[in-house]
Amino acid sequence: MHAKPAAPVFRRWAASGRRLADGWAGSPRALDVLTALACLALTALDLPGLAAADNSLNGPAAVVVLALGCATLLVRRRMPWVSYLAALLFIGWLHELTLIQFALYSVGRFRGRRAGILATVGYVAFALAMFCVPDWPAPRGETLSGFLSVVVPIGVLASAVGIAACRHDLVRELTARRAESAVLQAVQQERTSVARDVHDFVGRELTLLTVRSEVLSMRARETAYGPDFEELADTARRAHLVLNEIIVQRGDRSATPGVDGLRALAEESGRAGSPVRLTMDPDVRELSPLRQAAVYRVVQECLTNAAKHAHGEPIDVSIAVDGTQLRITVGNALPARVPGRAPVSAGSGTASMAERVESLGGTLEATRTEDAYLVVATLPRG
C-alpha cells in the first residue's frame, strides 16, 4: 500500500479553496455576511460602555445580544425591516446607534426611496421619544440640539446613501434591459434580412427550376423521360411552397398577423371613425400563413388609405374563396367635399401592396370613380 504524496493533495485542496473563494467573492450572500461582521465589529467597540453605564448586561451577554442583532443583516435583502426593528430595539434598550445605520441603508437600498424616507422619519421620532425619557441617553445628549446633531445626520446620511444605491441599481438594470432589447431587435432584424435574402435569391432559382422543368416535361411528354420531368417539376413547386411557408413562420411572423387579426383591425378602424363591414368565408382560415399574411397586409393598407382620404365613410371588406382563387375586395365611398388640407401620405402603400400580391402570383386593381374607391386583389389559393 502506497501513501499518496502530500503535495498533489494540498494543491487540489488549494484549487478547491480558490474556486470556493471565487464563487463567494462577489455573491450577495458574501456581502451580507461581511456587512453583518462589520456591524458586529463596530458595535463591539461599545462593549465596555454597555457593561458599565448603559444597562445591566455583562460582557458575554452583551456579545450574544449584539451578535443576534447584527445577524438580522443576513436577511436585509428580503426582509430589511427585521434589522430595522432590531436597531430600534437597540436604541431603546442599549442606547446603540450603530445597527440603525446599516438598517436604514438596507431599507433605502432594497425597498426604495419611499420606504427609506418613512424609515428615517420613524427612526428620528423614536429616538426623540427615547431622548425625552429621564436619564436617557446619559451622558451623550444633555441638550436637544446636541442630541439632534448626532441622531439626525446618522439616519439621514445612511438612508440617503441607500436610496442613491437603489437608484443606481435601477439605472443599471434599465441599461441592461435596453442593451438586451437592442440585441434582440438586432437579431430579429438580421433574421428578417436573412429570410428576405433567402426568399429573393433561393426563391428565384427555384422559380427558374420549376419553369425549366415544366418546359422539359412538355417536350419529353411522349418519351420515357416524361414522368420523370413531371415529378421534377412537382418537386420544385413543393420546394418553393415550403420555402415561402418557412419565410413567413421564421422571418417576421409576429409582425404580420393572419386573418385572425382582421377583426381587431376592423374594430380599431371603427374606433378611429371609419366603420368596417367585414365579410369573410370560413375557408379563408385554412389558407397558408403566407396567404394569410398577404390578406392582412392588403386589408390593412386599404383601411389606412380609406382613413386618410375618406375619413368617416363606411368601408366594405370582403374576403372570399372561389375554387382555386382567393379574392379580396375593399371598397369605400368618397366624401362629397375635398378636405381643405391634404393628408400625409408617402404614396408607396399601394405599390408595396401590389408588389406583395404579384410576388404570390396574383393581381391587384385599384379603381377610383367620382364617388367611390375600390381595390380588388386576386391570389392563387394554393
Side-chain angles (χ1 to χ4, degrees), residues 120-139:
T120 304
V121 172
Y123 151 69
V124 173
F126 181 80
L128 183 60
M130 292 295 101
F131 176 79
C132 296
V133 175
D135 298 330
W136 191 100

Side-chain angles (χ1 to χ4, degrees), residues 2 4 12 14 26 46 51 72 75 92 118 131 142 148 174 177 183 200 207-208 249 262 275 280 293 327 366 371:
H2 299 282
K4 295 182 179 180
R12 285 197 296 271
D46 286 342
T72 59
V75 295
L118 179 62
F131 176 79
E142 296 180 355
L148 294 179
L174 179 60
R177 289 185 178 182
V183 171
D200 292 341
T207 301
L208 295 177
Q249 293 179 3
L262 293 178
M280 183 171 58
R327 186 181 180 89
D371 56 356

Side-chain angles (χ1 to χ4, degrees), residues 235-266:
T235 302
R237 283 192 294 268
R238 288 196 302 270
H240 201 178
L241 179 61
V242 170
L243 174 65
N244 289 337
E245 300 296 335
I246 292 176
I247 295 304
V248 172
Q249 293 179 3
R250 299 292 180 87
D252 199 14
R253 186 178 183 180
S254 61
T256 309
V259 295
D260 291 335
L262 293 178
R263 294 292 180 185
L265 200 62

Side-chain angles (χ1 to χ4, degrees), residues 14-196:
S16 300
R18 284 194 298 270
R19 287 194 297 269
L20 182 61
D22 293 338
W24 245 144
S27 66
R29 177 70 64 182
L31 294 177
D32 292 342
V33 171
L34 291 177
T35 301
L37 292 176
C39 182
L40 180 61
L42 291 175
T43 55
L45 299 177
D46 286 342
L47 281 178
L50 293 176
D54 293 342
N55 51 69
S56 59
L57 287 178
N58 56 22
V63 172
V64 173
V65 171
L66 294 178
L68 291 177
C70 295
T72 59
L73 293 173
L74 297 176
V75 295
R76 66 193 185 106
R77 298 176 185 272
R78 292 177 300 172
M79 296 179 289
W81 295 107
V82 174
S83 57
Y84 177 76
L85 294 177
L88 294 183
L89 177 62
F90 274 23
I91 293 175
W93 179 27
L94 305 178
H95 313 160
E96 173 58 49
L97 298 177
T98 303
L99 180 58
I100 192 63
Q101 302 173 55
F102 291 87
L104 288 174
Y105 171 84
S106 300
V107 172
R109 173 74 181 275
F110 303 112
R111 289 298 178 267
R113 181 178 60 181
R114 184 176 301 178
I117 294 175
L118 179 62
T120 304
V121 172
Y123 151 69
V124 173
F126 181 80
L128 183 60
M130 292 295 101
F131 176 79
C132 296
V133 175
D135 298 330
W136 191 100
R140 298 178 183 173
E142 296 180 355
T143 64
L144 179 60
S145 60
F147 169 76
L148 294 179
S149 65
V150 175
V151 172
V152 175
I154 286 177
V156 172
L157 181 61
S159 181
V161 173
I163 293 173
C166 178
R167 292 178 63 87
H168 177 73
D169 291 342
L170 293 177
V171 171
R172 183 172 56 186
E173 182 179 359
L174 179 60
T175 303
R177 289 185 178 182
R178 286 178 177 175
E180 182 180 359
S181 176
V183 171
L184 293 177
Q185 184 178 3
V187 170
Q188 183 61 32
Q189 290 177 352
E190 184 65 20
R191 288 178 178 176
T192 304
S193 176
V194 170
R196 290 172 180 171

Side-chain angles (χ1 to χ4, degrees), residues 296-316:
Y296 184 90
R297 288 305 187 195
V298 169
V299 174
Q300 183 184 42
E301 183 59 31
C302 290
L303 295 183
T304 301
N305 289 338
K308 290 179 180 179
H309 303 284
H311 181 70
E313 299 293 335
I315 307 170
D316 293 319

Side-chain angles (χ1 to χ4, degrees), residues 277-281 299 316-320 327-331 375 377:
R277 292 188 290 264
L278 177 62
T279 304
M280 183 171 58
D281 288 349
V299 174
D316 293 319
V317 178
S318 174
I319 306 171
R327 186 181 180 89
I328 308 168
T329 305
V330 183
V375 175

Side-chain angles (χ1 to χ4, degrees), residues 3 14 26 29-30 67 98 108 125 157 204 265 316 320 324 332 344 355 366 374 380:
R29 177 70 64 182
T98 303
L157 181 61
R204 177 177 177 275
L265 200 62
D316 293 319
T324 60
N332 61 272
V344 178
E355 182 181 359
L374 181 66

